[in-house]
Amino acid sequence: RMIAHFFALLLLLSATTTFAEKSDPLVQWLDHLQVDIPDQSFTKSFVHLSITDLHCTHFRVEDMASSTANTKVNIKIWNVNATCQGSYQSTGLGGILTAELSPSSQQDGPALLWGIDVHDADEQNTTHHLRRPGSVETVDCETSVAVTRLRFSGSWSAKLLDLFRESIENAINKEISTAKICPLFHKDVDPKLTLYLQEAGHWLEP
């Protein structure tokens, strides 16, 4: 499995590229990631609030470290930040809701833990001396990002924050939780990294 190990190391080097250049596929994917929050409706103290078209974008990475163990690459990401923005309506008034996302204050560890395994293309053929990389699979994933700041535009902003802060934070945090974000790695990131490996492995073909 030496070739698979070699390409796992290539992924490690890719994961430690300069973030300012945004040349790493994972950093690029996070930067373009958009998480759509379902429309929300709340009522408290006879005040009704509805939130629509809320989405979180531009998940920015400031610090990342990675390591390899056999064919597995483990990546830890700290300081993930993003911004969510949508529209609100309340008692005939409306405006813009903005939520800022940062690592959860209740979590001391990384904001994102991600583990991938590199599979051989020739796992069923033991006669090959050179083992080509075949695919990448996410095997571990955990996120710890939460709303750290909310802002409403308009003169009612302070009152709306007092009434609905906890409800809004809970609604957004639910949609950016491990259960919601990590499946996107299986769906979007695994196929892209698999393609990168397969293209890089063409030179190994006889």
XYZ file of all heavy atoms in Angstrom, residues 131-166:
285
model
N 0.564 0.310 -6.239
C -0.844 0.389 -5.877
C -1.352 1.794 -6.137
O -0.896 2.750 -5.529
C -1.030 0.023 -4.401
C -0.326 -1.271 -3.998
C -0.899 -2.467 -4.754
N -2.259 -2.726 -4.362
C -2.595 -3.443 -3.274
N -1.652 -3.928 -2.503
N -3.858 -3.653 -2.984
N -2.260 1.922 -7.069
C -2.767 3.230 -7.452
C -3.873 3.687 -6.501
O -4.679 2.886 -6.052
C -3.320 3.176 -8.874
C -2.290 2.851 -9.943
C -2.987 2.671 -11.269
N -3.951 1.578 -11.212
C -4.968 1.427 -12.041
N -5.176 2.320 -12.990
N -5.792 0.404 -11.929
N -3.937 4.998 -6.209
C -5.038 5.507 -5.384
C -6.345 5.434 -6.162
O -6.393 5.765 -7.343
C -4.631 6.950 -5.114
C -3.780 7.311 -6.289
C -3.026 6.067 -6.655
N -7.402 4.979 -5.495
C -8.668 4.825 -6.190
C -9.748 5.790 -5.746
O -10.466 6.349 -6.561
N -9.873 6.003 -4.440
C -10.953 6.858 -3.959
C -10.635 7.384 -2.567
O -9.745 6.892 -1.880
C -12.273 6.077 -3.921
O -12.180 4.984 -3.019
N -11.383 8.399 -2.189
C -11.279 9.013 -0.862
C -12.634 8.891 -0.180
O -13.674 9.094 -0.813
C -10.860 10.494 -0.973
C -11.015 11.203 0.356
C -9.430 10.606 -1.455
N -12.620 8.564 1.092
C -13.874 8.404 1.840
C -13.758 9.116 3.188
O -12.807 8.916 3.936
C -14.176 6.927 2.073
C -15.428 6.680 2.889
C -15.627 5.215 3.232
O -14.688 4.424 2.985
O -16.702 4.875 3.740
N -14.744 9.961 3.478
C -14.818 10.585 4.800
C -15.231 9.540 5.820
O -16.288 8.914 5.687
C -15.825 11.744 4.796
O -15.340 12.801 3.953
C -16.028 12.298 6.197
N -14.410 9.338 6.834
C -14.702 8.330 7.858
C -14.951 8.956 9.227
O -15.515 8.311 10.110
C -13.565 7.289 7.947
C -13.521 6.435 6.680
C -12.216 7.951 8.185
N -14.508 10.184 9.426
C -14.756 10.898 10.679
C -15.108 12.339 10.363
O -14.501 12.956 9.479
C -13.524 10.887 11.595
C -13.185 9.492 12.087
O -14.093 8.807 12.587
O -12.010 9.102 11.970
N -16.052 12.902 11.096
C -16.415 14.295 10.892
C -17.164 14.803 12.123
O -18.076 14.139 12.623
C -17.281 14.465 9.643
S -17.747 16.186 9.303
N -16.761 15.964 12.596
C -17.442 16.586 13.734
C -17.249 18.097 13.652
O -16.138 18.569 13.419
C -16.883 16.052 15.051
C -17.572 16.609 16.286
C -17.016 16.022 17.564
O -16.303 14.987 17.480
O -17.283 16.586 18.640
N -18.317 18.855 13.832
C -18.233 20.314 13.781
C -18.596 20.916 15.132
O -19.359 20.334 15.908
C -19.181 20.899 12.717
O -20.542 20.611 13.088
C -18.885 20.315 11.347
N -18.036 22.081 15.400
C -18.343 22.815 16.631
C -18.320 24.306 16.320
O -17.413 25.033 16.708
C -17.326 22.478 17.732
O -17.615 23.200 18.909
N -19.333 24.737 15.564
C -19.474 26.146 15.183
C -20.856 26.605 15.639
O -21.828 25.857 15.549
C -19.327 26.337 13.665
C -19.481 27.799 13.283
C -17.980 25.813 13.198
N -20.950 27.837 16.129
C -22.225 28.323 16.661
C -22.362 29.818 16.413
O -21.390 30.510 16.089
C -22.318 28.030 18.163
N -23.592 30.311 16.561
C -23.856 31.742 16.446
C -23.215 32.468 17.627
O -23.439 32.111 18.784
C -25.374 32.028 16.421
C -25.633 33.529 16.382
C -26.029 31.343 15.226
N -22.407 33.465 17.342
C -21.768 34.240 18.400
C -22.227 35.691 18.422
O -21.945 36.415 19.369
C -20.234 34.201 18.249
O -19.876 34.628 16.923
C -19.704 32.798 18.482
N -22.969 36.120 17.381
C -23.469 37.494 17.359
C -24.664 37.589 16.428
O -24.652 37.019 15.337
C -22.372 38.460 16.914
C -22.777 39.925 16.990
C -21.650 40.835 16.524
N -22.029 42.241 16.609
C -21.285 43.239 16.148
N -20.120 42.992 15.581
N -21.694 44.475 16.252
N -25.689 38.310 16.867
C -26.882 38.559 16.062
C -27.097 40.060 15.921
O -26.875 40.822 16.867
C -28.124 37.945 16.712
C -28.363 36.438 16.565
C -29.584 36.041 17.385
C -28.543 36.038 15.116
N -27.567 40.477 14.739
C -27.875 41.884 14.523
C -29.157 42.000 13.696
O -29.320 41.285 12.703
C -26.745 42.615 13.781
C -25.429 42.650 14.524
C -24.465 43.674 13.876
N -24.271 43.436 12.461
C -23.347 42.612 11.964
N -22.554 41.933 12.769
N -23.225 42.464 10.655
N -30.046 42.886 14.125
C -31.222 43.244 13.352
C -31.068 44.682 12.877
O -30.651 45.548 13.644
C -32.496 43.159 14.208
C -32.974 41.773 14.504
C -32.584 41.130 15.663
C -33.819 41.116 13.631
C -33.031 39.855 15.960
C -34.276 39.840 13.911
C -33.881 39.208 15.078
N -31.417 44.953 11.642
C -31.480 46.335 11.190
C -32.818 46.929 11.631
O -33.793 46.205 11.847
C -31.347 46.408 9.665
O -32.460 45.783 9.039
N -32.864 48.226 11.803
C -34.109 48.879 12.178
C -34.161 49.290 13.634
O -33.355 48.867 14.464
N -35.159 50.116 13.962
C -35.253 50.711 15.300
C -35.682 49.720 16.370
O -35.505 49.978 17.558
C -36.237 51.894 15.266
O -37.512 51.453 14.827
N -36.264 48.585 15.964
C -36.717 47.598 16.933
C -35.639 46.569 17.248
O -35.904 45.582 17.929
C -37.953 46.870 16.395
C -39.231 47.594 16.638
C -39.450 48.935 16.570
C -40.479 47.007 16.981
N -40.753 49.225 16.844
C -41.425 48.074 17.101
C -40.908 45.705 17.181
C -42.756 47.850 17.423
C -42.246 45.484 17.506
C -43.150 46.557 17.628
N -34.459 46.765 16.790
C -33.447 45.715 16.880
C -33.190 45.239 18.301
O -33.101 44.030 18.561
C -32.134 46.210 16.256
O -31.666 47.365 16.941
N -33.079 46.144 19.260
C -32.770 45.750 20.637
C -33.899 44.904 21.231
O -33.650 43.881 21.879
C -32.518 46.983 21.490
N -35.154 45.324 20.994
C -36.283 44.574 21.549
C -36.392 43.186 20.918
O -36.682 42.199 21.595
C -37.583 45.356 21.327
C -37.654 46.651 22.118
C -38.965 47.365 21.883
C -39.037 48.664 22.695
N -40.314 49.389 22.469
N -36.178 43.114 19.605
C -36.248 41.823 18.931
C -35.154 40.889 19.419
O -35.381 39.683 19.613
C -36.143 42.019 17.411
C -37.345 42.680 16.735
C -37.058 42.923 15.267
C -38.594 41.829 16.900
N -33.960 41.421 19.633
C -32.874 40.603 20.142
C -33.207 40.047 21.512
O -32.962 38.877 21.806
C -31.572 41.412 20.194
C -30.799 41.555 18.894
C -29.600 42.478 19.093
C -30.326 40.199 18.400
N -33.742 40.877 22.377
C -34.092 40.426 23.722
C -35.120 39.312 23.690
O -35.044 38.354 24.469
C -34.635 41.607 24.548
C -33.551 42.610 24.903
O -32.366 42.235 24.839
O -33.897 43.769 25.218
N -36.082 39.426 22.806
C -37.165 38.448 22.762
C -36.766 37.137 22.086
O -37.132 36.050 22.539
C -38.374 39.045 22.029
C -39.284 39.980 22.810
C -40.354 40.562 21.897
C -39.945 39.249 23.981
N -36.024 37.232 20.983
C -35.880 36.073 20.108
C -34.449 35.555 19.956
O -34.208 34.646 19.175
C -36.429 36.410 18.713
C -37.889 36.741 18.707
C -38.320 38.043 18.529
C -38.839 35.752 18.898
C -39.667 38.363 18.519
C -40.195 36.049 18.884
C -40.616 37.361 18.697
N -33.501 36.127 20.673
C -32.109 35.718 20.500
C -31.925 34.208 20.641
O -31.356 33.552 19.763
C -31.210 36.433 21.513
C -29.734 36.023 21.395
C -28.916 36.571 22.548
N -28.967 38.014 22.599
C -28.173 38.796 21.862
N -27.287 38.251 21.036
N -28.260 40.096 21.972
N -32.389 33.647 21.736
C -32.168 32.221 21.986
C -32.833 31.350 20.932
O -32.248 30.367 20.457
C -32.686 31.850 23.373
C -32.427 30.392 23.749
C -32.863 30.062 25.161
O -33.336 30.977 25.881
O -32.759 28.873 25.549
